Amino acid sequence: MLAISELTKTYDTGTAALRNVSITVDEPQVVAIIGPSGAGKSTLIRCINRLVEPTSGSVELNGENLTKLGSRDLRRARRHIGMIFQEYNLVERLTVMENILSGRLGYVSFWRAFRRNYPPADVAAAFSLLERVGLEGYHNTRADSLSGGQRQRVGIARALIQSPDLLLVDEPTASLDPKTSRQVMRILVELAREQKTPTLINIHDVQLAKTFATRVIGMQEGRIVFDGKPGQLTEKVLTDIYGEEDWSTEAAPVTAAAS
Amino acid sequence: MIEATWLRHTLLVLGLAYLVWSLGSLEVDWERVSKGLPRAGDIVTRMFPPDFSRWELLSRGVTESLEMALAATFAGMILAVPLGLCAARNLVPMPVYLVARGIIVVMRTLHEVIVAIIFVKIFGFGPLAGVLTLIVSSITFIAKMLAEDIENMSPGQVEAIRATGAGFAKMLLYGVVPQILPRYLGVSIYRLDANIRQSTIVGIVGAGGIGQTLSASFSRYDYDFSLAILLVIIALVFIGEFFSSWARGKLR
Ligand SMILES: Nc1ncnc2c1ncn2[C@@H]1O[C@H](COP(=O)(O)OP(=O)(O)O)[C@@H](O)[C@H]1O
Ligand SMILES: [Mg+2]
């Protein structure tokens, strides 16, 4: 399905954000990518749909090398790759329905998009996704009047209406409170499993990663330093990824000296 | 503040000296000023009462000015779009950006009155020269504001649309237009208001509209008619300003 091999990205500033990253995802699974900030998680998933141009290496999705595509073919390929963002990135002044249907932009003509005249099948799919993400009745609400959790659910619906072959998710819960975070993750993972869509989720919350992913990849300084099951995330592994820290969930009693 | 008293006094004296010197170097012809004052009084007396008897001429001038302003705003709104898009650094390649910015800068350096004079030289007296002048200034104004709004828009929304596989046109339609449309309309309405005012000015150099009627009345010493025209211009600009702020308020 997805085969990333020896992917490298060096930004114009000289920062080596990815160094020889290779990942193969050959079943529809939810992969959590964890690592400290600056590890290159965002760069990695943005190199897949080429919002960032990789420096070298290849990304194959269902046998097609995405890094070699011209701009026309790249747009065609992007129609099959859904993306969900930390800051939701909804079009603020458009309605929930328009935002969800914008996931079909790659398929409809400019003129249809202009008149908001989407095929009935797309509209039906949008309504059913709206219900699935728990926003029934919100189709005419403007995106800028939604709460963070609601926005992210619209973001999920927009990505899933693409019927993607791959879902790229960048810190979906970093701007949400803990309870909303879990709700959003649950909806996301449920829908991804249902549609059998392989999913890469950047997430810095190890607990959430363990709960919702079937595979965890640990990154540090542009390299993969762990790739395994959530259960294999031992203290030693977390130290490899994040550096020295006490990883036990029970906090030691706070002493005066510690503060 | 300046603490030392002597320093303060010295500065004050120096300042006064400079003022006197610079007034002297203006070479004000006091004789002409003293002759002008009574003449001003004379003009003012002859302006009263304002003469509205030639209201047909007046209303023709007003209509022409309004038509010039409306046509120029509309044309400016449309023509500013391609120029504004090309002048937004985050949408187009560097060479396109530089050319578009260059056009805007050059077009902005020329004052409306100078542009009007040039167009009058080319197309002769009348509203055509006036409309063209207003179109030029509307395009540059709206395009510049548009480009700045596009450069300041949130890149995330655009990126999300690009990630769905949308091409440039659809990206504009969903990623850019919703973000800039209210401001674009607001700027255009503001420009309509400005164009109403400008349309009275460009008439002075013969480019049509109520300004041309005013200028003609002055040269014929019909000062009472001039006052009538001035009052109508004031009313026109006032209504324009009122409408513009009302409409822009509605957009929010
Ligand atoms: N557009 C950019 N230009 C230059 N450097 C960048 C850019 N984006 C990210 N970086 C750098 O690349 C490294 C990886 O960043 P990123 O992929 O955002 O990491 P993460 O998502 O894991 O926090 C960081 O050192 C960051 O400063
Ligand atoms: Mg990141």
Side-chain angles (χ1 to χ4, degrees), chain A residues 50 57-61 63-69:
Chain A
R50 283 172 56 192
S58 73
V59 177
E60 271 187 31
L61 181 62
E64 185 175 41
N65 187 349
L66 303 181
T67 50
K68 290 275 190 296
L69 298 179

Side-chain angles (χ1 to χ4, degrees), chain B residues 29-72:
Chain B
D29 187 343
W30 293 106
E31 206 175 319
R32 280 179 70 169
V33 172
S34 65
K35 272 189 190 149
L37 284 176
R39 205 180 306 139
D42 180 40
I43 291 175
V44 169
T45 18
R46 282 171 58 190
M47 276 183 159
F48 284 95
D51 173 17
F52 286 96
S53 63
R54 268 170 289 171
W55 59 270
E56 274 177 325
L57 198 59
L58 193 60
S59 76
R60 209 182 308 140
V62 168
T63 317
E64 197 168 275
S65 270
L66 279 177
E67 280 170 358
M68 281 163 60
L70 275 170

Side-chain angles (χ1 to χ4, degrees), chain A residues 35-63:
Chain A
S37 85
K41 307 181 294 295
S42 299
T43 304
L44 171 61
I45 70 164
R46 295 160 71 81
C47 278
I48 294 173
N49 65 356
R50 283 172 56 192
L51 287 178
V52 168
E53 281 299 330
T55 310
S56 68
S58 73
V59 177
E60 271 187 31
L61 181 62
N62 297 333

Side-chain angles (χ1 to χ4, degrees), chain B residues 103-204:
Chain B
I103 292 174
I104 290 179
V105 167
V106 169
M107 285 181 24
R108 272 171 63 88
T109 49
L110 295 178
H111 192 275
E112 278 90 350
V113 173
I114 296 175
V115 177
I117 291 171
I118 295 170
F119 278 133
V120 167
K121 287 281 171 225
I122 299 174
F123 298 104
F125 291 112
L128 177 63
V131 167
L132 290 175
T133 305
L134 297 184
I135 288 176
V136 167
S137 61
S138 302
I139 293 174
T140 35
F141 183 82
I142 299 173
K144 184 164 184 284
M145 301 300 261
L146 192 61
E148 265 153 35
D149 283 347
I150 294 174
E151 286 175 348
N152 288 329
M153 72 188 175
S154 130
Q157 300 181 33
V158 178
E159 203 162 62
I161 297 299
R162 283 210 298 144
T164 66
F168 188 75
K170 286 184 241 174
M171 181 273 287
L172 288 181
L173 187 64
Y174 272 70
V176 178
V177 170
Q179 292 201 60
I180 57 153
L181 191 61
R183 279 263 304 166
Y184 166 73
L185 291 177
V187 165
S188 299
I189 291 167
Y190 172 81
R191 194 61 220 178
L192 175 63
D193 170 30
N195 278 343
I196 290 174
R197 256 178 304 131
Q198 300 288 0
S199 74
T200 63
I201 294 170
V202 296
I204 310 277

Side-chain angles (χ1 to χ4, degrees), chain A residues 16 94 168:
Chain A
L94 295 186
L168 303 174

Side-chain angles (χ1 to χ4, degrees), chain A residues 28-30 156 160 167 169 186-199 201:
Chain A
Q29 59 184 350
V30 174
I156 293 171
L160 283 165
L167 259 183
V169 191
R186 189 169 307 116
I187 291 171
L188 175 57
V189 167
E190 249 175 48
L191 285 168
R193 294 232 166 90
E194 222 169 82
Q195 299 201 358
K196 298 197 167 37
T197 312
T199 302
I201 306 183

